[in-house]
Every structure is written in structure tokens, then in C-alpha cells.
Amino acid sequence: MPGFRAGPLVVLVLGLLLGALSLLVMLPAAQHLRSFQDGERARATLLTNGPCMTGRCKVAFEVEGRAVVAELPVGSGGRHGSAGTRLTIRYRTDDLRAVATERDLSGGGAAVLTVGSGAAGLFFVVMSVWSAVLARRRPAEPVRGPASRRGGRTAAECPGRGITAARTPPRQVRRPGLPGPVEPGRTPPGGS
């Protein structure tokens, strides 16, 4: 394909992937976290260390004298502390293993990532379209190859294309102790 450039295409694909991440993964995760606003409140103990964004943090709590261990959902915001940290959670009475921390009820880290990846995706799509528009407006560059070195066109046939008709003068060198500049390879007057 003449004039094909891979750069705008790569940027477009990156933008579309970020937009898909935002709409298909992070937005549903944020909505799931918001759905716990009507849940029952309880105090829980964090059982695992590390960030809970991937949904691998477990909490233990009691409901009517019964011990329950549940995983925090994907998109729970940031670090909740180390194992043994006490948290306030919300749970559903019909499914005790579905829980969310109270500070994630607004959407948690999933809401932040939804906005961030969506904005980045939009930025990359706009940049790829803009670079494609600029590439179409740019004039084609002249082909410089063997034909121009063999004298395929004259300077009059290609005005403004970088081909000059004038011959450049030979380089002159000033030698210490001799009068005036001398062309390389020539003997100065009065010299040996």
C-alpha cells in the first residue's frame, strides 16, 4: 500500500482497547460496587495482604453468630491495609459471600479506572485520527534515487525540489605562512 503508516493504526488500536477496558470491565465493576449501598453493615477483619483491585482480598465477619469468609470484588479500591485490619463492610442478606467495603460504595478504584482508561482511550483515538488527517494533507516527498543521480531530470524541470543547477566552487584552504587561500592539490605561487 503506498503511503501506509503503521503508527496511527497502532495508536487507534490502543485507544480502542482502552475504551473497551473502560466500558466492558471497569464500568460494570464500579456499578457492582455501588449496588451494595443498600446492603447490611458489619465489621470485618481483612485476611490477606496487598492491593484488592484484582479481587483477591478476603475478609472474615460474623452474621447472627455464624462466621463467614468472603472475597472483596474486583475493583475494590487500592490497599485496605495488612492482614488483621478491621474494616466496615456491606453484605447482601441473600448472598453472604457478596461483600464490599464501605469506602468502595461510590465505585472504588473501578470508578477511577473507568474514567482514566476511558479518557486515555478517547485521547489515543483522537490522536490517531488527527495524525491520519495530517498525513493526508502533507505533500508527497520527492523520490531521490538512482535516476536523479544519473541526470534523470534537470534543475529547470524540478524547481524547489532540492536539485541545484549551480556548481559549488572548490574548497579553499589557508596555509600558514603563505599569502592567500589555495585550492587543495595546487601548488601555491612561489612554492615548491
Side-chain angles (χ1 to χ4, degrees):
M1 285 190 286
F4 175 73
R5 297 173 196 258
L9 184 62
V10 170
V11 173
L12 177 65
V13 168
L14 181 62
L16 293 175
L17 286 175
L18 284 171
L21 172 71
S22 177
L23 288 175
L24 301 176
V25 177
M26 291 289 109
L27 185 61
Q31 290 171 341
H32 177 66
L33 287 170
R34 285 189 200 107
S35 72
F36 285 96
Q37 290 177 345
D38 297 333
E40 297 293 322
R41 185 178 298 183
R43 291 291 291 164
T45 304
L46 188 63
L47 298 178
T48 53
N49 289 327
C52 299
M53 184 60 84
T54 57
R56 298 199 175 157
C57 287
K58 293 184 178 185
V59 294
F61 62 101
E62 286 190 19
V63 176
E64 299 172 1
R66 202 173 108 195
V68 179
V69 175
E71 285 188 358
L72 293 175
V74 173
S76 296
R79 297 181 73 87
H80 289 288
S82 58
T85 303
R86 299 286 292 167
L87 304 168
T88 303
I89 62 163
R90 297 278 183 111
Y91 66 93
R92 293 191 180 125
T93 54
D94 58 338
D95 184 9
L96 296 179
R97 294 189 183 270
V99 298
T101 62
E102 197 157 75
R103 72 180 200 181
D104 289 334
L105 295 179
S106 64
V112 173
L113 284 178
T114 299
V115 172
S117 61
L122 182 64
F123 173 76
F124 283 122
V125 168
V126 168
M127 287 289 95
S128 68
V129 170
W130 181 253
S131 65
V133 167
L134 289 179
R136 283 213 173 263
R137 287 185 182 175
R138 191 176 308 138
E141 294 182 18
V143 176
R144 297 177 189 262
S148 63
R149 279 186 251 137
R150 287 191 295 251
R153 287 183 173 182
T154 64
E157 293 172 335
C158 303
R161 297 282 186 187
I163 301 173
T164 58
R167 183 175 171 267
T168 56
R171 194 176 129 228
Q172 295 183 348
V173 180
R174 183 172 284 276
R175 295 188 183 167
L178 296 175
V182 177
E183 289 184 27
R186 290 205 177 173
T187 319
S192 54

